[in-house]
Amino acid sequence: AAAPPTFAFGAPGLVPGASVFGGPGLVPAPAFPGASVFGAPMVFPSGLFGGAPPPKRRRVERPPPPERSERLKRLVGRLCSPGVQVGEPAPVEVVPAKLNQRALQKVLTTHVPGIATFLYREQPGSSAMKFLISAYMSGLQAYQNSPLHGHLTSLLRLVVHEAKEEKPGAVGRLREVAEAFKDCQAVQARVIERAGLKARGEAVDFRERVVALVGEYKGVALKMVADEEVRARGGPNSHVDPPHYENRLISDFGEMVGLPKADIRRAGLDTHADQRFPRLSERARKKRSRRLTALFDIGALLRAFAAEVNGFDEKSAGDSLARLFLDWVDENMTNKHVVFDEATCTKVEVNNELATAILEVLFLGETGAPAEETFREHKICDLFTPRDPIPDPPGFEGFGETDGESESNDGLAQASDESVSGSYEDGGETDDEEEDDSEE
């Protein structure tokens, strides 16, 4: 059999036809009479009402995690912990609906090319734009009776209003939201909240900006874990689909690895995730947490961080990561000009080695750079103002000790644990142990 597609990060890619948000393009299956979400069929698992039983969970090959130095293991262990977590967003003020249906449709067709042809889950006749307009007017139906209903509705309206006014970055955010309406409401809510919070904007410092960047890469690793689990369960299909399984994982072990609190709150309201997938046991949560930590792409994060800060110029906004970085340098580095290019002293030039040390100081309180490692003939270990090490978050012990197996306590799975490499069935458990993998 041909090898499955892979991500740039080295983990198995999603099956052909999967959407950019991780949800498969599905052909609707027979629906239970009367069940609907925005008028689209609500699909129930086969076998629930007397049909054929679901297929046996299949064996899936998972790549081993990349080799890392002890120094990077320590850094990644801290990044994938509750100590590096985006907090709860501040309450959102109520945003009234300023546009009628006709005016809203004009905004959408003007700024989102091809939106008139967008279909909800590729179902003929199910216009994604129609659902977006309904959500703008009265909110997402799936969250109608939840604490997030008004929150998400106001954020969606904010995204639309700013795009109408053509504020910087607003049209791009509206297009992201419009694309999300091709998928289920779990994906819609996720993208609305992300885009809306960006549109609202809040005063943040350098550390908070970096924590948000780290959160994005945790999200990538989470999708990889969910993809592996979904394929092991015979998916993706109308019942075992990535968006809702991601919410199951986020709800069960999001706090353990420091996923954004807004994501955890939203995932906890996903009734489909609760109905389709049992809660993970404590042992299973630790195993999935180790797997996410192992798949976390520290190399990609360091390159992204360096690219962000190196993009500083006279047009950089005051709250941009690049501008906030210079404020942080002024307070935390002994040589405040070493980050600038030597020729003109007007451009920021940070390489991966210095980026690693910066993240270590930011989240560990000290750098692990050896004495011989230099940046422009300066010892990296001497470039930072001395400070006390930052301890682990209260109660955090890593995910190393489980079932009598000794693993490192930095949160990284080791080759001795079957949950990291090789093939597995149902996340590494045998059929006889399957009941230990979830809570009743």
Side-chain angles (χ1 to χ4, degrees):
T6 58
F7 285 112
F9 305 99
L14 298 171
V15 296
S19 77
V20 68
F21 300 103
L26 300 175
V27 177
F32 185 71
S36 66
V37 177
F38 279 141
M42 181 181 293
V43 180
F44 286 83
S46 62
L48 186 59
F49 296 104
K56 179 178 174 62
R57 293 169 181 170
R58 59 195 181 199
R59 192 168 294 276
V60 176
E61 286 293 329
R62 301 192 297 178
E67 293 187 7
R68 294 172 177 148
S69 66
E70 290 302 316
R71 179 183 172 192
L72 282 183
K73 287 180 181 180
R74 182 178 179 226
L75 176 58
V76 172
R78 177 58 58 83
L79 296 179
C80 295
S81 79
V84 183
Q85 182 178 37
V86 178
E88 285 274 12
V92 178
E93 293 183 4
V94 175
V95 177
K98 299 179 180 179
L99 307 175
N100 59 29
Q101 184 170 330
R102 185 174 180 179
L104 175 55
Q105 188 169 340
K106 182 178 179 181
V107 172
L108 295 174
T109 54
T110 298
H111 295 300
V112 184
I115 190 173
T117 65
F118 287 7
L119 296 177
Y120 172 77
R121 291 203 147 186
E122 300 183 7
Q123 296 177 4
S126 295
S127 168
M129 182 166 65
K130 168 187 164 187
F131 295 152
L132 198 162
I133 291 173
S134 175
Y136 173 90
M137 296 298 180
S138 55
L140 293 176
Q141 191 177 52
Y143 295 86
Q144 201 80 38
N145 298 315
S146 79
L148 284 183
H149 181 255
H151 172 80
L152 293 172
T153 304
S154 290
L155 290 178
L156 174 58
R157 290 170 179 171
L158 180 61
V159 169
V160 171
H161 297 165
E162 291 206 344
K164 181 179 184 296
E165 298 169 9
E166 299 187 359
K167 292 186 176 180
V171 171
R173 290 190 288 269
L174 178 61
R175 290 176 180 174
E176 289 179 11
V177 169
E179 287 283 346
F181 274 80
K182 294 179 179 180
D183 216 316
C184 66
Q185 292 184 69
V187 172
Q188 294 166 20
R190 189 179 306 165
V191 179
I192 287 171
E193 187 163 41
R194 182 178 65 205
L197 292 177
K198 284 183 180 178
R200 185 177 67 166
E202 292 182 4
V204 295
D205 60 17
F206 175 65
R207 186 185 186 280
E208 290 171 318
R209 284 287 188 207
V210 180
V211 168
L213 182 62
V214 172
E216 292 179 14
Y217 282 85
K218 290 183 190 179
V220 172
L222 176 80
K223 287 183 179 296
M224 294 179 183
V225 176
D227 175 59
E228 292 176 345
E229 299 284 337
V230 164
R231 289 188 295 116
R233 286 163 169 76
N237 54 47
S238 57
H239 177 60
V240 184
D241 66 332
H244 294 296
Y245 194 78
E246 285 174 30
N247 281 346
R248 173 77 281 152
L249 297 179
I250 293 170
S251 181
D252 284 355
F253 70 82
E255 287 288 354
M256 296 172 73
V257 294
L259 293 175
K261 285 188 175 292
D263 292 355
I264 297 171
R265 179 179 65 170
R266 190 178 58 251
L269 297 173
D270 187 345
T271 56
H272 290 295
D274 285 338
Q275 292 167 357
R276 298 177 188 181
F277 312 111
R279 290 175 58 85
L280 297 176
S281 66
E282 184 65 20
R283 179 190 178 197
R285 292 175 193 177
K286 290 182 178 180
K287 290 181 70 173
R288 273 57 170 191
S289 298
R290 291 198 304 273
R291 184 59 178 163
L292 182 147
T293 307
L295 292 174
F296 183 83
D297 198 330
I298 183 63
L301 171 66
L302 293 171
R303 290 189 294 273
F305 172 81
E308 285 276 354
V309 298
N310 290 345
F312 173 79
D313 59 25
E314 66 277 2
K315 297 179 182 178
S316 296
D319 61 349
S320 67
L321 181 60
R323 183 66 185 82
L324 293 171
F325 170 63
L326 295 182
D327 294 337
W328 185 87
V329 167
D330 187 54
E331 296 176 3
N332 294 275
M333 295 188 69
T334 56
N335 186 330
K336 308 183 191 310
H337 303 288
V338 72
V339 299
F340 290 101
D341 70 295
E342 296 179 296
T344 66
C345 221
T346 59
K347 299 177 182 178
V348 174
E349 290 185 353
V350 169
N351 62 15
N352 275 13
E353 289 73 22
L354 185 57
T356 301
I358 291 168
L359 264 60
E360 287 176 320
V361 171
L362 195 59
F363 297 115
L364 296 172
E366 58 186 357
T367 178
E372 64 272 13
E373 188 169 276
T374 62
F375 180 76
R376 293 184 178 156
E377 300 183 356
H378 297 274
K379 290 184 178 182
I380 290 181
C381 60
D382 294 335
L383 286 176
F384 300 94
T385 305
R387 57 197 301 187
D388 294 331
I390 300 173
D392 284 331
F396 179 71
E397 299 177 354
F399 311 112
E401 302 292 334
T402 59
D403 305 326
E405 295 176 336
S406 178
E407 302 166 337
S408 67
N409 199 38
D410 57 13
L412 293 173
Q414 302 298 308
S416 61
D417 190 324
E418 64 179 359
S419 72
V420 171
S421 61
S423 61
Y424 80 118
E425 192 168 354
D426 188 28
E429 305 289 354
T430 66
D431 290 339
D432 292 338
E433 297 171 313
E434 189 174 319
E435 63 269 22
D436 295 331
D437 202 42
S438 61
E439 295 177 352
E440 292 297 333

